[in-house]
Amino acid sequence: MNLLLGLAVKDLWRSGREVRAHLVLVAMAGLCLFFSFAFRDSIDTLISHRAREFLSADVALSSMQPIPAADLVVAEELAQAQSVARQTELLAMARTKQASLLVEVKAIDSVFPQVGQIVTEPLRSRQDIDLDLKAGHIYVYDELLPELGVQLGESIQLGRLSLVVKGIVVRDPGISRSNIGIAPRIYMDQELLQQTGLVGPESQVTYRYFYQTQGDLEAITAGLKEQFGQKNYFVISPEESMSGLRRALDSFGKYLSVLMLLASLLGFSLAFYLFQLFVRKRISSMAVMTMFGAGIWDVRKYLLLQSCLLHLVGFVLSWLFGATLLLGINQFVDLSAVPGFVAEISWLSLSVLALLFLAVAVLFNLPFWYEFSSSDVIHLLEEDTSEVPSRGGFGRFLPQGIGFLGFLGLSSWLLGAGTFFLSFAASLIVFGLMAFLLMPLLLSWMSHKMSEFSWRFALRNLGRARLTTSLAFFSVFIIGLLFGVGPTLVQSSLKELETPDQSKLPAYFVINVPEESTNRLVQFSKDSGIALRYLSPLILVRLETINGEEVNQDELRRFPSRVTYRKSLLESERIVEGEPFIGTFDGAGSEVAPVSVEVEYAERRGFKLGDILGFNIQGIPFQARVANFRRIEWNSFHPNFFIQFPDGVLNDVPKTYVGIVYHSGSDEDVRQIKFEMSRRFPELSLIDLGRTLRRLADITRQFRPVILVTAISLVLFTLLFLLLLLSHSVKVRSSEILLMQIFGGSASKVRSLILKEFSVLLGFGLGFGVMVGLVLAGYVLDQIMKFQIYWSLYESFFLFAVSGLLAFVLLFLSLTRRIPSFIKS
Amino acid sequence: MSSIIEISDLRKSYPSEQGRLEVLKGVNLSVDRPQSVSIMGRSGGGKSTLVALLSGLDRKDSGVVKVLQKDLSLFSSNQLIEYRAKNIGVIFQQFHLLPHLTALENVEMALAFQGVDGARDLAEKALADVGIDQRANHFPHQLSRGECQRVAIARVLVLSPKVVIADEPTGSLDVQTGERIMELLLNLVQQRDMVLVLVTHDPELAARCDRQFILEGGTLTLSSHEV
Ligand SMILES: Nc1ncnc2c1ncn2[C@@H]1O[C@H](COP(=O)(O)OP(=O)(O)O)[C@@H](O)[C@H]1O
Ligand SMILES: [Mg+2]
């Protein structure tokens, strides 16, 4: 064993370049996996460590109606509460003499928050803050001051009260800092809120009770849910409080993972290619070893040792690289879009990664083990480096097969998508069959049809059943795949994050427009020269039954759904499935009314086309049939609704209106008119989009470089691969090329021959790859990331053409350099 | 008659750890009519080096190598490739067939580079000449070593070179097969008025050539067999 180890190390040490190239490849491939793992781990840590802080307690009970004292007693008992904090929350318009602004009012008691803290500026202790609040002062988010044109110490009007702004909240529990909160927050005292007159039977207030407990959280949550399930109270665990953020981060993580996984697949494939070249060169020396007393198992051990050593070093390298990069990310990248996010990797993931490397090391050996058992030593001795077709039938596809399945398993685990696993597997098995069965047939058929020898020769070269050719093809295919996937994925992700064109953006949303005020409001906007558009009715309904069965989804039962009716679709909507509405619904023939549902919403709720939904509209039961699914372009900022009826169905039901105001004037004009509007229509709420968009833009700014950098480095990475691949395959053939020279193949003739061969390989491989990549991109975006797809066909084919050309030039150059002029036999 | 091969004072050395290793120290050879010439010598004596220089596969240090009155060292590498393909055929001990081409295609390849019309027919005929037209569509790994060498010979002869150089062509064959291959090669070369330079270990084979040389101590001397 020691002897073998010594030999193996020496052999590796002395084969310089090849081994280095292999190491770089596996280290980079490993790095890609490292990052996929790290991202997952970081999200997990964020969620598990931050969730309590996020919720500000261990568990919470929430309701849209005041919760009776009796229930509170029960809840406190069930939660084994050590302390209870109370918070009342609502949206309202705050006003000063010059301006008005929608704010999120949080009325708290002195116990809140039980976990985490409220950090203010100037910095105050919790007791001092409490004293200020009790004295009728408020603490607010900083962006509120300039919007309302007030300074610390001045007061703002909230309902009936005028309240002095005592300080700024820099950090507080909850999501709205880090996410796209609709409105800036105001903290005030519980008792004070009652005096504002904002809390009434009409207003949409959320009552929350927070519990701190030492008990078993899961059991407590379950107990509370069980107890209050019928009463329309919401039980929120820390995990649930972060589910929105988790969804957003998961989407992003999936995007990264898709790219990273593809890159690592590519890296490992090429590493395998190099490894088998490396081994082939050594087969005869291994055969010699067997002649001097080494058994076939010793030879296998020798190979295994080498590959384990290589991959161990590869693993350590990717670990070192990765860890350094993680440190760098934490240090230098602005991650404030997701507060508390720390890039890290767990020991578990590292062990999984190490195991993966070991598995790869073993996997890389399999074809040779197979070969050794099916060949005699004498055959191995004869092997003239890499030019001999490998033996062993299907055995040599074993590692590719296993590797591929492993890759799929890993992908579906990282992406958390079982269907992804299946459909990706299916599509690639189809591809695999095409490549491995049809391609040789196609090539040999073509080679028979070709009259010109050089083309026949080129095709024959490709058609030979060689591992190298299939691997080369596979690598080119993967590159093509990336080119197919990449641009569409990047484009769609960027679009998803993109801030829409400012000029197309509304200045603000108008909500809570009473039906009787609509005409006056329209007149007002005409007079003041602003565009009030998409004025849509908003009706609160409750979904009670689906196909006659009672709805059992908590959310649906407890909260009313907001629905609308329209004559036609908005520009930001399109039907993806089912029939569009035709004209105004008149209920003739006692037909059930059709309803249109947003496609993802329908998916989450499990609605199917044709389902009969039973609504309760202000006490009156009402049925509708799901007629179509719509997809909504959310960043158009139109008043879009998940559930939408045709005109004529709900026209007589009491409702309010929502609309959006477009405004082309200066900021000051906007402020003026907005203020005027809120003064004349005090019952309206105006939601300023500037704030939301600034947050969006912030997040986009932070994520855009990450996406671009991953995409660009991936493309560079693949071009590097391509170069490596080409120069290696030419090197492998140098003896063949020399031979051709003896028979009159001048450099230019040989070059043109090889170029022909590669043009076929590149053409087929890239073309195939781009096509499969596009399908894959569509699938990933649509099914996994739930993004809208923006096809980037031009970019894909542009990359296809550029890389083809580049590969050609590189090949041409490396051929010119490599075709040796002289040999000795 | 004009000379076909003319080598004078040919020298070649390789760099080695103990300074330069002089392999050829002034080789002279002149062949002025179609005939067969054998070169013997101990292993490592420089035979393959001589073959490489004579076929323009390597560069000499000094001296002159002319084939059909053309000094090979004056050619550019592309010209050399052209010239060699037309006039010089090389047969190796290790056959060097392209593994992924059939016997027929291996021969066809040589013609293809010359842009010869009707390459396939010519290739078939060449295979028939060496007696393996039955196996034209087999790949090298499906052929015996003797058959492989026949293909290699056909591949060279199909181009009708004036000079055929064979470096131990039977070295990796058993005695009987080697015999038959040599018989074939000598006959074909004779029929076609070609010059054969045969490098061999085997004195019997060497004896069948018109002239016999020994490469020893870096120079070429006529063997004692020559009358
Ligand atoms: N490329 C080379 N570099 C260094 N030395 C070489 C090279 N080729 C051959 N030699 C040396 O030149 C000598 C002659 O080799 P070679 O011509 O192959 O002999 P032969 O064919 O007669 O056995 C040998 O000692 C060999 O080691
Ligand atoms: Mg020799």
Short mmCIF file of all heavy atoms in Angstrom, two decimals, chain A residues 387 453 456-457 460-461 464 466 736 739-747 749 753 821-825, chain B residues 14 49 57-59 78 81-82 84-85 92 96 98-101 105 108-109 112-114 120 155 167:
data_model
loop_
_atom_site.label_atom_id
_atom_site.label_comp_id
_atom_site.label_asym_id
_atom_site.label_seq_id
_atom_site.Cartn_x
_atom_site.Cartn_y
_atom_site.Cartn_z
N GLU A 387 -5.27 6.33 -28.19
CA GLU A 387 -5.90 6.20 -29.50
C GLU A 387 -6.71 4.93 -29.69
O GLU A 387 -7.21 4.65 -30.76
CB GLU A 387 -4.83 6.28 -30.61
CG GLU A 387 -4.33 7.68 -30.81
CD GLU A 387 -5.43 8.65 -31.15
OE1 GLU A 387 -6.12 8.43 -32.16
OE2 GLU A 387 -5.62 9.61 -30.40
N PHE A 453 -14.20 13.21 -49.73
CA PHE A 453 -13.57 12.37 -48.73
C PHE A 453 -13.33 13.11 -47.42
O PHE A 453 -13.53 12.56 -46.35
CB PHE A 453 -12.24 11.82 -49.26
CG PHE A 453 -11.56 10.93 -48.28
CD1 PHE A 453 -11.97 9.60 -48.13
CD2 PHE A 453 -10.53 11.38 -47.49
CE1 PHE A 453 -11.36 8.77 -47.22
CE2 PHE A 453 -9.92 10.56 -46.56
CZ PHE A 453 -10.34 9.25 -46.43
N ARG A 456 -16.30 13.07 -45.37
CA ARG A 456 -16.54 11.71 -44.89
C ARG A 456 -15.59 11.39 -43.76
O ARG A 456 -15.94 10.81 -42.75
CB ARG A 456 -16.32 10.72 -46.04
CG ARG A 456 -17.62 10.13 -46.52
CD ARG A 456 -17.38 8.93 -47.38
NE ARG A 456 -16.59 9.26 -48.57
CZ ARG A 456 -15.74 8.41 -49.11
NH1 ARG A 456 -15.54 7.22 -48.59
NH2 ARG A 456 -15.09 8.74 -50.19
N PHE A 457 -14.35 11.82 -43.98
CA PHE A 457 -13.30 11.58 -43.01
C PHE A 457 -13.64 12.26 -41.67
O PHE A 457 -13.55 11.66 -40.60
CB PHE A 457 -12.01 12.14 -43.59
CG PHE A 457 -10.79 11.89 -42.77
CD1 PHE A 457 -10.03 10.75 -42.98
CD2 PHE A 457 -10.38 12.80 -41.82
CE1 PHE A 457 -8.90 10.51 -42.23
CE2 PHE A 457 -9.24 12.58 -41.07
CZ PHE A 457 -8.50 11.43 -41.28
N ARG A 460 -16.53 10.50 -40.07
CA ARG A 460 -16.08 9.22 -39.54
C ARG A 460 -15.34 9.40 -38.23
O ARG A 460 -15.52 8.67 -37.28
CB ARG A 460 -15.21 8.53 -40.60
CG ARG A 460 -14.56 7.26 -40.15
CD ARG A 460 -15.57 6.24 -39.66
NE ARG A 460 -16.52 5.84 -40.67
CZ ARG A 460 -16.25 4.95 -41.61
NH1 ARG A 460 -15.08 4.40 -41.70
NH2 ARG A 460 -17.16 4.62 -42.47
N ASN A 461 -14.53 10.43 -38.20
CA ASN A 461 -13.81 10.75 -36.99
C ASN A 461 -14.75 10.94 -35.81
O ASN A 461 -14.49 10.50 -34.70
CB ASN A 461 -13.03 12.05 -37.17
CG ASN A 461 -11.58 11.79 -37.42
OD1 ASN A 461 -11.09 10.71 -37.10
ND2 ASN A 461 -10.90 12.73 -38.00
N ARG A 464 -16.79 7.67 -34.64
CA ARG A 464 -16.16 6.56 -33.93
C ARG A 464 -16.64 6.56 -32.49
O ARG A 464 -16.76 7.58 -31.83
CB ARG A 464 -14.64 6.67 -34.00
CG ARG A 464 -14.09 8.00 -33.59
CD ARG A 464 -12.61 8.01 -33.84
NE ARG A 464 -12.17 9.40 -34.02
CZ ARG A 464 -10.89 9.73 -34.13
NH1 ARG A 464 -9.95 8.83 -34.13
NH2 ARG A 464 -10.55 10.99 -34.28
N ARG A 466 -16.18 6.68 -29.38
CA ARG A 466 -15.14 6.92 -28.41
C ARG A 466 -15.66 7.74 -27.27
O ARG A 466 -16.44 8.65 -27.45
CB ARG A 466 -14.02 7.70 -29.07
CG ARG A 466 -13.02 6.85 -29.74
CD ARG A 466 -11.79 7.66 -29.73
NE ARG A 466 -10.87 7.21 -30.73
CZ ARG A 466 -9.93 8.02 -31.20
NH1 ARG A 466 -9.92 9.27 -30.82
NH2 ARG A 466 -9.08 7.56 -32.05
N GLU A 736 -1.86 11.30 -34.83
CA GLU A 736 -2.68 11.10 -36.02
C GLU A 736 -2.35 12.17 -37.07
O GLU A 736 -2.23 11.90 -38.26
CB GLU A 736 -4.11 11.25 -35.58
CG GLU A 736 -5.14 10.65 -36.45
CD GLU A 736 -6.47 10.79 -35.76
OE1 GLU A 736 -6.64 10.17 -34.69
OE2 GLU A 736 -7.32 11.54 -36.25
N LEU A 739 0.90 11.59 -38.76
CA LEU A 739 0.77 10.54 -39.75
C LEU A 739 0.20 11.08 -41.04
O LEU A 739 0.66 10.76 -42.14
CB LEU A 739 -0.17 9.49 -39.17
CG LEU A 739 0.06 8.11 -39.73
CD1 LEU A 739 1.42 7.63 -39.27
CD2 LEU A 739 -1.02 7.19 -39.24
N MET A 740 -0.78 11.94 -40.90
CA MET A 740 -1.39 12.51 -42.09
C MET A 740 -0.39 13.34 -42.86
O MET A 740 -0.41 13.39 -44.08
CB MET A 740 -2.61 13.34 -41.71
CG MET A 740 -3.73 12.49 -41.18
SD MET A 740 -5.28 13.37 -41.08
CE MET A 740 -5.15 14.16 -39.54
N GLN A 741 0.51 13.94 -42.11
CA GLN A 741 1.51 14.77 -42.79
C GLN A 741 2.42 13.93 -43.67
O GLN A 741 2.87 14.38 -44.71
CB GLN A 741 2.34 15.51 -41.76
CG GLN A 741 1.53 16.58 -41.07
CD GLN A 741 2.41 17.56 -40.36
OE1 GLN A 741 3.41 17.18 -39.77
NE2 GLN A 741 2.04 18.80 -40.42
N ILE A 742 2.69 12.73 -43.20
CA ILE A 742 3.56 11.88 -44.00
C ILE A 742 2.91 11.54 -45.33
O ILE A 742 3.55 11.34 -46.34
CB ILE A 742 3.91 10.61 -43.21
CG1 ILE A 742 4.69 11.02 -41.97
CG2 ILE A 742 4.70 9.63 -44.06
CD1 ILE A 742 5.05 9.89 -41.08
N PHE A 743 1.58 11.54 -45.31
CA PHE A 743 0.88 11.23 -46.55
C PHE A 743 0.39 12.47 -47.26
O PHE A 743 -0.65 12.46 -47.90
CB PHE A 743 -0.25 10.25 -46.27
CG PHE A 743 0.29 8.93 -45.86
CD1 PHE A 743 0.43 8.60 -44.55
CD2 PHE A 743 0.75 8.05 -46.84
CE1 PHE A 743 0.98 7.40 -44.18
CE2 PHE A 743 1.31 6.84 -46.47
CZ PHE A 743 1.43 6.51 -45.13
N GLY A 744 1.08 13.53 -47.08
CA GLY A 744 0.77 14.68 -47.89
C GLY A 744 -0.24 15.63 -47.29
O GLY A 744 -0.68 16.56 -47.96
N GLY A 745 -0.63 15.40 -46.03
CA GLY A 745 -1.56 16.32 -45.40
C GLY A 745 -0.80 17.55 -44.92
O GLY A 745 -0.22 17.55 -43.85
N SER A 746 -0.76 18.58 -45.73
CA SER A 746 -0.05 19.78 -45.31
C SER A 746 -0.85 20.42 -44.17
O SER A 746 -2.01 20.10 -43.96
CB SER A 746 0.08 20.75 -46.47
OG SER A 746 -1.20 21.15 -46.88
N ALA A 747 -0.19 21.34 -43.47
CA ALA A 747 -0.83 21.95 -42.30
C ALA A 747 -2.23 22.46 -42.63
O ALA A 747 -3.18 22.24 -41.88
CB ALA A 747 0.04 23.07 -41.76
N LYS A 749 -4.25 21.54 -45.01
CA LYS A 749 -5.22 20.47 -45.29
C LYS A 749 -5.68 19.80 -44.01
O LYS A 749 -6.87 19.53 -43.81
CB LYS A 749 -4.60 19.42 -46.22
CG LYS A 749 -4.51 19.88 -47.66
CD LYS A 749 -3.79 18.84 -48.49
CE LYS A 749 -3.56 19.35 -49.89
NZ LYS A 749 -2.53 18.55 -50.58
N LEU A 753 -9.40 19.79 -42.29
CA LEU A 753 -10.05 18.55 -41.92
C LEU A 753 -10.59 18.61 -40.50
O LEU A 753 -11.75 18.30 -40.23
CB LEU A 753 -9.00 17.44 -41.96
CG LEU A 753 -9.31 16.27 -42.86
CD1 LEU A 753 -8.10 15.37 -42.97
CD2 LEU A 753 -10.51 15.54 -42.36
N SER A 821 5.69 19.79 -37.14
CA SER A 821 6.14 19.64 -38.50
C SER A 821 7.00 18.41 -38.73
O SER A 821 7.09 17.91 -39.82
CB SER A 821 6.95 20.87 -38.91
OG SER A 821 6.19 22.01 -38.69
N PHE A 822 7.62 17.95 -37.71
CA PHE A 822 8.55 16.84 -37.91
C PHE A 822 8.34 15.75 -36.88
O PHE A 822 8.00 16.02 -35.75
CB PHE A 822 9.99 17.34 -37.80
CG PHE A 822 10.29 18.41 -38.80
CD1 PHE A 822 10.26 19.73 -38.43
CD2 PHE A 822 10.54 18.08 -40.12
CE1 PHE A 822 10.51 20.72 -39.35
CE2 PHE A 822 10.80 19.07 -41.04
CZ PHE A 822 10.79 20.40 -40.67
N ILE A 823 8.54 14.58 -37.31
CA ILE A 823 8.49 13.49 -36.34
C ILE A 823 9.58 12.49 -36.63
O ILE A 823 10.23 12.52 -37.66
CB ILE A 823 7.17 12.70 -36.39
CG1 ILE A 823 6.97 12.10 -37.79
CG2 ILE A 823 6.04 13.51 -35.93
CD1 ILE A 823 6.13 10.87 -37.73
N LYS A 824 9.77 11.60 -35.68
CA LYS A 824 10.55 10.40 -35.93
C LYS A 824 9.66 9.24 -35.55
O LYS A 824 8.85 9.35 -34.65
CB LYS A 824 11.81 10.39 -35.07
CG LYS A 824 12.82 11.40 -35.55
CD LYS A 824 14.06 11.32 -34.72
CE LYS A 824 14.65 9.92 -34.79
NZ LYS A 824 15.94 9.85 -34.07
N SER A 825 9.75 8.18 -36.21
CA SER A 825 8.85 7.07 -35.91
C SER A 825 9.19 6.45 -34.57
O SER A 825 10.33 6.47 -34.17
CB SER A 825 8.95 6.01 -36.98
OG SER A 825 10.22 5.42 -36.95
N TYR B 14 22.03 14.81 -31.08
CA TYR B 14 20.94 15.20 -30.16
C TYR B 14 21.55 15.76 -28.90
O TYR B 14 22.61 15.29 -28.46
CB TYR B 14 20.09 13.98 -29.80
CG TYR B 14 19.31 13.43 -30.96
CD1 TYR B 14 19.68 12.21 -31.53
CD2 TYR B 14 18.23 14.11 -31.48
CE1 TYR B 14 18.96 11.68 -32.59
CE2 TYR B 14 17.50 13.59 -32.54
CZ TYR B 14 17.87 12.37 -33.10
OH TYR B 14 17.16 11.88 -34.13
N THR B 49 17.17 7.46 -37.15
CA THR B 49 17.55 8.86 -37.36
C THR B 49 17.82 9.11 -38.83
O THR B 49 17.35 10.10 -39.41
CB THR B 49 18.80 9.18 -36.53
OG1 THR B 49 18.55 8.85 -35.16
CG2 THR B 49 19.17 10.64 -36.63
N LEU B 57 11.62 13.96 -42.30
CA LEU B 57 10.82 14.07 -41.09
C LEU B 57 11.58 14.79 -39.97
O LEU B 57 11.02 15.10 -38.94
CB LEU B 57 10.38 12.69 -40.61
CG LEU B 57 9.42 11.97 -41.54
CD1 LEU B 57 9.19 10.54 -41.08
CD2 LEU B 57 8.10 12.71 -41.65
N ASP B 58 12.87 14.98 -40.19
CA ASP B 58 13.67 15.66 -39.17
C ASP B 58 14.71 16.50 -39.90
O ASP B 58 14.96 16.31 -41.08
CB ASP B 58 14.33 14.61 -38.26
CG ASP B 58 14.69 15.22 -36.91
OD1 ASP B 58 14.56 16.46 -36.75
OD2 ASP B 58 15.10 14.46 -36.01
N ARG B 59 15.29 17.45 -39.16
CA ARG B 59 16.29 18.34 -39.77
C ARG B 59 17.70 17.86 -39.45
O ARG B 59 17.99 17.54 -38.30
CB ARG B 59 16.12 19.76 -39.23
CG ARG B 59 14.79 20.38 -39.58
CD ARG B 59 14.91 21.34 -40.74
NE ARG B 59 13.61 21.94 -41.02
CZ ARG B 59 13.26 22.37 -42.23
NH1 ARG B 59 14.09 22.25 -43.27
NH2 ARG B 59 12.08 22.92 -42.43
N ASN B 78 5.66 22.98 -45.74
CA ASN B 78 4.54 22.58 -46.59
C ASN B 78 5.00 21.99 -47.93
O ASN B 78 4.45 21.01 -48.41
CB ASN B 78 3.62 23.76 -46.85
CG ASN B 78 2.49 23.79 -45.83
OD1 ASN B 78 2.18 22.76 -45.23
ND2 ASN B 78 1.90 24.95 -45.63
N ILE B 81 6.08 18.53 -47.31
CA ILE B 81 4.97 17.58 -47.20
C ILE B 81 4.47 17.18 -48.58
O ILE B 81 4.26 16.00 -48.86
CB ILE B 81 3.83 18.22 -46.37
CG1 ILE B 81 4.23 18.24 -44.89
CG2 ILE B 81 2.54 17.46 -46.54
CD1 ILE B 81 3.29 19.03 -43.99
N GLU B 82 4.30 18.16 -49.44
CA GLU B 82 3.90 17.90 -50.83
C GLU B 82 4.88 16.94 -51.51
O GLU B 82 4.49 15.92 -52.09
CB GLU B 82 3.96 19.21 -51.64
CG GLU B 82 2.75 20.10 -51.72
CD GLU B 82 1.44 19.44 -51.95
OE1 GLU B 82 1.08 19.25 -53.12
OE2 GLU B 82 0.74 19.14 -50.96
N ARG B 84 7.20 15.02 -50.30
CA ARG B 84 7.31 13.69 -49.72
C ARG B 84 6.14 12.83 -50.16
O ARG B 84 6.31 11.68 -50.54
CB ARG B 84 7.32 13.80 -48.20
CG ARG B 84 7.46 12.46 -47.50
CD ARG B 84 7.78 12.66 -46.05
NE ARG B 84 6.81 13.56 -45.45
CZ ARG B 84 7.10 14.49 -44.58
NH1 ARG B 84 8.35 14.64 -44.17
NH2 ARG B 84 6.18 15.29 -44.11
N ALA B 85 4.94 13.42 -50.13
CA ALA B 85 3.78 12.63 -50.50
C ALA B 85 3.91 12.11 -51.93
O ALA B 85 3.48 11.00 -52.24
CB ALA B 85 2.53 13.48 -50.35
N PHE B 92 6.43 1.99 -41.47
CA PHE B 92 6.97 1.90 -40.10
C PHE B 92 6.79 0.50 -39.52
O PHE B 92 5.94 -0.28 -39.96
CB PHE B 92 6.23 2.87 -39.19
CG PHE B 92 6.30 4.30 -39.63
CD1 PHE B 92 5.29 4.86 -40.39
CD2 PHE B 92 7.40 5.08 -39.29
CE1 PHE B 92 5.36 6.17 -40.80
CE2 PHE B 92 7.47 6.39 -39.69
CZ PHE B 92 6.45 6.94 -40.47
N HIS B 96 1.15 2.27 -37.96
CA HIS B 96 0.53 3.60 -37.89
C HIS B 96 -0.65 3.77 -38.82
O HIS B 96 -0.72 4.70 -39.61
CB HIS B 96 1.57 4.69 -38.16
CG HIS B 96 2.55 4.84 -37.03
ND1 HIS B 96 2.18 4.88 -35.73
CD2 HIS B 96 3.89 4.92 -37.04
CE1 HIS B 96 3.23 5.00 -34.96
NE2 HIS B 96 4.30 5.01 -35.72
N LEU B 98 -4.62 4.66 -39.18
CA LEU B 98 -5.57 5.44 -38.38
C LEU B 98 -6.65 4.47 -37.87
O LEU B 98 -7.30 3.81 -38.66
CB LEU B 98 -6.20 6.56 -39.20
CG LEU B 98 -5.23 7.65 -39.61
CD1 LEU B 98 -5.95 8.77 -40.35
CD2 LEU B 98 -4.50 8.22 -38.41
N PRO B 99 -6.81 4.38 -36.55
CA PRO B 99 -7.63 3.32 -35.98
C PRO B 99 -9.11 3.40 -36.35
O PRO B 99 -9.80 2.40 -36.36
CB PRO B 99 -7.45 3.49 -34.47
CG PRO B 99 -6.98 4.90 -34.29
CD PRO B 99 -6.24 5.25 -35.52
N HIS B 100 -9.57 4.60 -36.67
CA HIS B 100 -11.01 4.74 -36.89
C HIS B 100 -11.37 4.70 -38.35
O HIS B 100 -12.51 4.94 -38.71
CB HIS B 100 -11.48 6.05 -36.27
CG HIS B 100 -10.68 7.21 -36.75
ND1 HIS B 100 -9.44 7.51 -36.23
CD2 HIS B 100 -10.92 8.10 -37.73
CE1 HIS B 100 -8.97 8.55 -36.87
NE2 HIS B 100 -9.84 8.93 -37.78
N LEU B 101 -10.37 4.42 -39.21
CA LEU B 101 -10.68 4.30 -40.63
C LEU B 101 -10.52 2.84 -41.04
O LEU B 101 -9.65 2.13 -40.51
CB LEU B 101 -9.73 5.16 -41.47
CG LEU B 101 -9.83 6.67 -41.27
CD1 LEU B 101 -8.91 7.39 -42.26
CD2 LEU B 101 -11.25 7.17 -41.43
N GLU B 105 -10.29 2.93 -46.34
CA GLU B 105 -10.25 4.37 -46.08
C GLU B 105 -8.85 4.85 -45.72
O GLU B 105 -8.48 5.98 -46.02
CB GLU B 105 -11.23 4.74 -44.98
CG GLU B 105 -12.66 4.73 -45.47
CD GLU B 105 -13.67 4.76 -44.33
OE1 GLU B 105 -13.29 4.39 -43.19
OE2 GLU B 105 -14.82 5.13 -44.58
N GLU B 108 -7.35 5.28 -48.95
CA GLU B 108 -8.02 6.39 -49.62
C GLU B 108 -7.55 7.74 -49.07
O GLU B 108 -7.43 8.72 -49.80
CB GLU B 108 -9.52 6.26 -49.37
CG GLU B 108 -10.37 6.59 -50.58
CD GLU B 108 -11.84 6.44 -50.22
OE1 GLU B 108 -12.17 5.55 -49.41
OE2 GLU B 108 -12.63 7.23 -50.74
N MET B 109 -7.29 7.76 -47.77
CA MET B 109 -6.86 9.00 -47.13
C MET B 109 -5.64 9.58 -47.84
O MET B 109 -5.58 10.77 -48.13
CB MET B 109 -6.52 8.74 -45.66
CG MET B 109 -5.90 9.94 -44.98
SD MET B 109 -4.94 9.53 -43.52
CE MET B 109 -3.52 8.75 -44.22
N ALA B 112 -6.61 11.01 -51.00
CA ALA B 112 -7.48 12.17 -50.83
C ALA B 112 -6.68 13.45 -50.67
O ALA B 112 -7.02 14.48 -51.23
CB ALA B 112 -8.40 11.97 -49.63
N PHE B 113 -5.58 13.34 -49.92
CA PHE B 113 -4.77 14.53 -49.72
C PHE B 113 -4.15 15.01 -51.02
O PHE B 113 -3.83 16.18 -51.16
CB PHE B 113 -3.68 14.25 -48.69
CG PHE B 113 -4.19 14.30 -47.29
CD1 PHE B 113 -3.99 13.23 -46.44
CD2 PHE B 113 -4.87 15.41 -46.82
CE1 PHE B 113 -4.46 13.27 -45.14
CE2 PHE B 113 -5.34 15.45 -45.52
CZ PHE B 113 -5.14 14.38 -44.68
N GLN B 114 -3.98 14.09 -51.96
CA GLN B 114 -3.39 14.49 -53.23
C GLN B 114 -4.45 14.95 -54.22
O GLN B 114 -4.13 15.34 -55.34
CB GLN B 114 -2.60 13.33 -53.85
CG GLN B 114 -1.49 12.82 -52.96
CD GLN B 114 -0.60 13.94 -52.48
OE1 GLN B 114 -0.15 14.76 -53.27
NE2 GLN B 114 -0.39 14.03 -51.17
N ARG B 120 -11.22 5.89 -54.74
CA ARG B 120 -11.71 4.63 -54.19
C ARG B 120 -11.27 3.44 -55.04
O ARG B 120 -10.80 2.43 -54.51
CB ARG B 120 -13.23 4.69 -54.10
CG ARG B 120 -13.85 3.40 -53.62
CD ARG B 120 -15.19 3.65 -53.02
NE ARG B 120 -15.06 4.32 -51.74
CZ ARG B 120 -15.78 3.99 -50.65
NH1 ARG B 120 -16.67 3.03 -50.71
NH2 ARG B 120 -15.61 4.63 -49.53
N ARG B 155 -0.93 1.57 -48.69
CA ARG B 155 -1.13 2.99 -48.51
C ARG B 155 0.04 3.79 -49.08
O ARG B 155 -0.13 4.89 -49.61
CB ARG B 155 -1.30 3.29 -47.00
CG ARG B 155 -1.69 4.70 -46.68
CD ARG B 155 -2.04 4.84 -45.23
NE ARG B 155 -0.90 4.57 -44.36
CZ ARG B 155 -0.93 4.73 -43.03
NH1 ARG B 155 -2.02 5.15 -42.44
NH2 ARG B 155 0.13 4.45 -42.31
N ASP B 167 11.32 1.21 -42.27
CA ASP B 167 12.10 1.12 -41.04
C ASP B 167 11.64 -0.11 -40.25
O ASP B 167 10.61 -0.08 -39.60
CB ASP B 167 11.92 2.39 -40.20
CG ASP B 167 12.89 2.45 -39.03
OD1 ASP B 167 13.62 1.46 -38.81
OD2 ASP B 167 12.92 3.49 -38.34
#
